[in-house]
Amino acid sequence: MKKIFKYLPLLAAAFLMTACQSDKEEDFGNKAFIDAPSMSSETIVKGGTDDIVKTLTIATSRPAEKDIKAQAVVDKSLVETYNKAYYANAILLPEEYYEITESNMAIDAGSVKSTEASITFKGVGALDRSLVYVLPVKVQTSDIELLSSAKNYYYVFRAGALINVVADIQDNYLEIFPWKNTGRVSGMRQITMEALIYPREFGQLISTVMGIEGAFLMRIGDAGVPDNQIQIATSSGNFTDAKLQLQTNKWQHVALTYDRDNGEMKVYIDGHLMAEGTSRASINIIGNGTDRNFLVGKSYEDGRDLNGCISEARVWDVVRTADEIANSIYTVDPTSPGLIAYWKFDDLSTYTVKDYSGNGNDLTAKRAQLTWKNVSLPAAN
């Protein structure tokens, strides 16, 4: 009995060593895992349509003892797993918005990092901005065990603000003269004018969006017209409709299109066609260098300013379609055909508003330094 007690410490030590070796082999065996600081990435969609390429690699905790081959595959069933893990309400990214351009990954024997798999995301700017999308990708391999907590990856897409800064042009206005290329605005047969505006109040006879008084002008109000109702004033008469009334303290997109060849004029609010008719007007936005230049926020005389903010003002020498107008309220490709001037009103400059079309038609503030305000548009639901 004494001999048994004598050897108990040795038996205990041997048992502990065996247990430790077993734990070490189990816990620290070579495993592969997705090589990333976290298992998800979030892309804020700003409205662009350029392709976005994302890469994915795996790694091992120790140099691989043999060549390892793995694949990245989409696993649609993991959407629910993602939503539960991240307390989200995402939906699966539709197939037309992505392509796995390289699914294979390989780790050579003696190495710890793999080659890259790659996924190309296409046209995500067209996604519904009210929804959150996720693409779950998992790694598959039969060559090595995968760490359970690092074998699935989630690509998340959600809408972000397209507009962060706007100009407040109350008691101010902007002018362009001369246009950099007068040929683009001389003898125009078609035109589209549009802007995103935030009227704080009306109450005056006329508030002005843009154009030239007595020639071709988008304004709000007039004698006999409600002070919140859009009116298109031309050299051949004015066009308006009771459906063209705007609200205060709300961002609204206003647009007009006019085709001189068939006389068709249309006016849109927030991308919806609200009124249409015919006109015999000429299109004249050139300016005369004195009292009849193209203005934003004023028409001929003081007291006709826009009491509020403005953003995304544009002039085109084509008739934009209803879909084109509705789908580009908050941003537009500055290289779009027909775009003469594109004033985003996000410059934070003192007096100059840049023309993003590349045509050099910058605006100049004429009454005071520009006032800038921080916003987040489109507003979250």
Side-chain angles (χ1 to χ4, degrees):
M1 196 69 170
K2 291 183 179 179
K3 289 183 179 181
I4 293 176
F5 285 115
K6 176 180 179 181
Y7 291 106
L8 276 177
L10 294 176
L11 291 171
F15 174 79
L16 287 172
M17 289 179 64
T18 302
C20 287
Q21 288 174 352
S22 177
D23 288 346
K24 182 175 181 181
E25 289 173 0
E26 182 179 349
D27 295 341
F28 299 100
N30 206 13
K31 295 182 181 180
F33 51 88
I34 293 174
D35 188 18
S38 67
M39 292 302 105
S40 68
S41 68
E42 183 173 280
T43 299
I44 303 299
V45 178
K46 289 280 190 176
T49 57
D50 293 341
D51 289 353
I52 301 171
V53 178
K54 302 281 190 177
T55 60
L56 191 69
T57 59
I58 60 172
T60 53
S61 53
R62 297 197 304 272
E65 297 178 358
K66 62 178 183 178
D67 291 347
I68 297 172
K69 294 181 179 179
Q71 277 191 323
V73 298
V74 173
D75 188 342
K76 299 178 181 180
S77 69
L78 291 174
V79 172
E80 185 177 354
T81 303
Y82 170 80
N83 284 332
K84 288 181 178 178
Y86 291 87
Y87 303 98
N89 191 29
I91 65 171
L92 179 68
L93 183 71
E95 292 183 4
E96 62 265 30
Y97 291 100
Y98 69 88
E99 177 185 1
I100 298 184
T101 46
E102 178 56 68
S103 63
N104 296 317
M105 296 171 283
I107 302 178
D108 294 334
S111 299
V112 295
K113 288 191 176 183
S114 75
T115 56
E116 293 181 339
S118 63
I119 304 173
T120 301
F121 296 94
K122 304 174 292 184
V124 293
L127 290 169
D128 187 332
R129 297 184 60 81
S130 66
L131 301 175
V132 177
Y133 299 85
V134 62
L135 183 70
V137 174
K138 71 177 180 181
V139 174
Q140 292 181 332
T141 180
S142 59
D143 294 334
I144 191 172
E145 185 179 355
L146 292 166
L147 192 64
S148 60
S149 61
K151 63 180 181 180
N152 302 325
Y153 197 86
Y154 302 97
Y155 295 96
V156 182
F157 295 84
R158 69 174 72 243
L162 298 178
I163 301 173
N164 300 109
V165 176
V166 300
D168 189 332
I169 58 173
Q170 180 178 356
D171 300 325
N172 204 353
Y173 71 97
L174 301 101
E175 178 184 74
I176 177 170
F177 186 86
W179 296 83
K180 285 294 184 180
N181 185 346
T182 55
R184 291 285 301 275
V185 295
S186 177
M188 295 175 69
R189 309 301 301 182
Q190 296 183 328
I191 190 170
T192 299
M193 296 198 305
E194 57 183 323
L196 190 60
I197 61 173
Y198 183 93
R200 274 189 297 271
E201 62 179 357
F202 296 108
Q204 55 197 32
L205 180 65
I206 292 174
S207 305
T208 306
V209 182
M210 70 176 84
I212 301 177
E213 177 72 26
F216 201 88
L217 176 72
M218 181 192 291
R219 66 189 186 187
I220 305 166
D222 193 8
V225 175
D227 60 14
N228 67 333
Q229 185 169 307
I230 298 172
Q231 181 190 68
I232 311 304
T234 77
S235 59
S236 300
N238 303 333
F239 174 80
T240 189
D241 189 285
K243 295 178 181 178
L244 297 177
Q245 295 189 19
L246 301 174
Q247 301 178 49
T248 56
N249 300 312
K250 178 182 178 181
W251 282 102
Q252 293 143 103
H253 183 265
V254 296
L256 77 86
T257 66
Y258 176 59
D259 188 331
R260 187 179 178 189
D261 292 331
N262 59 25
E264 190 174 72
M265 182 175 290
K266 297 181 179 181
V267 183
Y268 300 79
I269 298 177
D270 291 335
H272 302 290
L273 177 61
M274 302 302 293
E276 58 184 318
T278 57
S279 174
R280 302 180 64 181
S282 298
I283 303 172
N284 178 6
I285 62 169
I286 295 176
N288 62 4
T290 55
D291 61 344
R292 289 291 192 275
N293 291 335
F294 187 95
L295 306 179
V296 175
K298 178 184 174 181
S299 53
Y300 185 61
E301 63 184 12
D302 294 343
R304 296 183 176 185
D305 59 321
L306 178 66
N307 186 345
C309 299
I310 189 168
S311 178
E312 291 293 314
R314 310 161 195 152
V315 178
W316 310 72
D317 60 7
V318 296
V319 170
R320 297 272 281 168
T321 67
D323 285 345
E324 288 172 334
I325 291 171
N327 293 330
S328 60
I329 287 176
Y330 297 98
T331 186
V332 75
D333 183 348
T335 65
S336 299
L339 190 56
I340 294 175
Y342 179 16
W343 303 298
K344 292 179 69 67
F345 285 92
D346 65 353
D347 308 87
L348 297 174
S349 61
T350 306
Y351 288 100
T352 302
V353 173
K354 177 184 175 181
D355 170 20
Y356 279 82
S357 74
N359 294 322
N361 294 310
D362 296 346
L363 290 171
T364 302
K366 304 300 291 184
R367 190 175 291 154
Q369 292 187 11
L370 289 164
T371 300
W372 303 98
K373 291 189 177 296
N374 295 325
V375 296
S376 181
L377 298 173
N381 292 334

